[in-house]
């Protein structure tokens, strides 16, 4: 079982007696599974139960962290570098509204952090998602000028982070860290 169709992300494999199976959670809203029999028995197989996300777990964490990041007297006592790292991971793994909320928290962290709190180069997977969305929106003539909420949120995140690294004098290093060598070659060729 996995959260990706290629069975590379959040993979869980089980074999043998039911006692070897354990509960687990997958991020996102889709579960992929593959059942393979070795044909050694003629029994019916396995049964598993899928339950939608535990109500409130993500939302509760989101609300608590959002509130903590809104309290100026609390922010200096938070491990912002670690929270940043976790939230980037959440934003990369989640989908839909949960991804939007994670990006919202990333924006709050960038806005209230001081120099060096956030490793902005961790945003590379989100930058790749954003540039993919940018390239596709340029070709979408059905709805010109209309951005999806995720696209808008990523645009704002990268606008704010670019301003932050410009203030810190490290824009060139930031841009080099986010882009692939192939992308830089294409831009240079253009």
């Amino acid at each position: 079982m996995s959260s990706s169709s290629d069975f590379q992300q959040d993979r869980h494999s089980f074999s043998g007696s039911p006692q070897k199976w354990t509960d687990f959670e997958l991020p996102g809203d889709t579960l992929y599974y593959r059942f393979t029999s070795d044909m050694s028995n003629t029994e019916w197989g396995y049964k598993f139960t899928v339950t939608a996300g535990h109500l409130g777990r993500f939302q509760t964490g989101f609300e608590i962290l959002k509130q903590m990041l809104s309290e100026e007297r609390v922010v200096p006592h938070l491990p912002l570098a670690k929270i940043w790292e976790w939230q980037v991971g959440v934003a990369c793994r989640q989908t839909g509204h949960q991804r939007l909320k994670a990006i919202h928290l990333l924006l709050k962290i960038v806005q209230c952090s001081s120099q060096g709190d956030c490793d902005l180069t961790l945003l590379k997977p989100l930058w790749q998602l954003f540039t993919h969305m940018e390239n596709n929106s340029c070709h979408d003539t059905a709805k010109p000028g209309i951005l999806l909420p995720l696209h808008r949120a990523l645009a704002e995140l990268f606008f704010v982070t670019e301003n932050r690294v410009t203030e810190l004098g490290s824009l060139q290093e930031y841009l080099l860290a986010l882009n692939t060598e192939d992308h830089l070659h294409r831009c240079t060729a253009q």
Side-chain angles (χ1 to χ4, degrees):
M1 295 180 199
S2 175
S3 63
S4 65
S5 60
D6 62 0
F7 294 91
Q8 298 301 310
Q9 296 176 350
D10 307 303
R11 183 182 175 144
H12 298 270
S13 297
F14 300 98
S15 179
S17 68
Q19 290 74 25
K20 294 182 180 180
W21 288 56
T22 59
D23 287 350
F24 62 93
E25 293 183 26
L26 289 179
D29 59 1
T30 305
L31 162 78
Y32 296 90
Y33 70 94
R34 183 178 349 186
F35 177 79
T36 307
S37 173
D38 64 3
M39 304 295 218
S40 63
N41 290 327
T42 57
E43 307 215 12
W44 65 271
Y46 289 95
K47 175 182 177 184
F48 60 91
T49 303
V50 177
T51 306
H54 297 279
L55 184 61
R57 184 177 292 175
F58 182 91
Q59 185 63 28
T60 301
F62 168 77
E63 292 297 335
I64 291 170
L65 191 50
K66 182 175 82 172
Q67 187 61 38
M68 291 174 72
L69 291 169
S70 299
E71 297 287 333
E72 288 182 30
R73 58 186 167 79
V74 174
V75 171
H77 304 287
L78 295 175
L80 287 181
K82 197 66 175 166
I83 294 171
W84 173 261
E85 186 179 331
W86 291 333
Q87 277 310 121
V88 170
V90 168
C92 290
R93 285 189 310 272
Q94 294 296 339
T95 59
H97 291 294
Q98 291 181 341
R99 177 176 276 167
L100 279 173
K101 289 179 177 183
I103 292 169
H104 174 78
L105 290 175
L106 289 173
L107 269 165
K108 287 186 87 53
I109 294 169
V110 167
Q111 291 166 338
C112 67
S113 67
S114 61
Q115 183 175 352
D117 281 341
C118 305
D119 179 0
L120 298 177
T121 63
L122 293 175
L123 294 173
K124 187 172 186 169
L126 293 175
W127 175 253
Q128 291 170 341
L129 174 63
F130 176 67
T131 55
H132 176 74
M133 293 177 93
E134 282 285 294
N135 292 336
N136 287 345
S137 73
C138 292
H139 303 299
D140 186 5
T141 56
K143 298 178 183 176
I146 297 176
L147 300 181
L148 297 172
L150 176 59
H151 194 170
R152 284 195 316 267
L154 287 170
E156 185 177 359
L157 175 64
F158 288 109
F159 178 74
V160 169
T161 56
E162 185 178 324
N163 284 339
R164 174 53 64 100
V165 294
T166 301
E167 290 169 5
L168 299 173
S170 56
L171 180 61
Q172 185 175 0
E173 294 85 4
Y174 169 72
L175 294 175
L176 288 172
L178 290 185
N179 288 288
T180 63
E181 193 171 319
D182 287 342
H183 178 74
L184 294 174
H185 286 294
R186 281 195 308 272
C187 290
T188 303
Q190 288 176 348

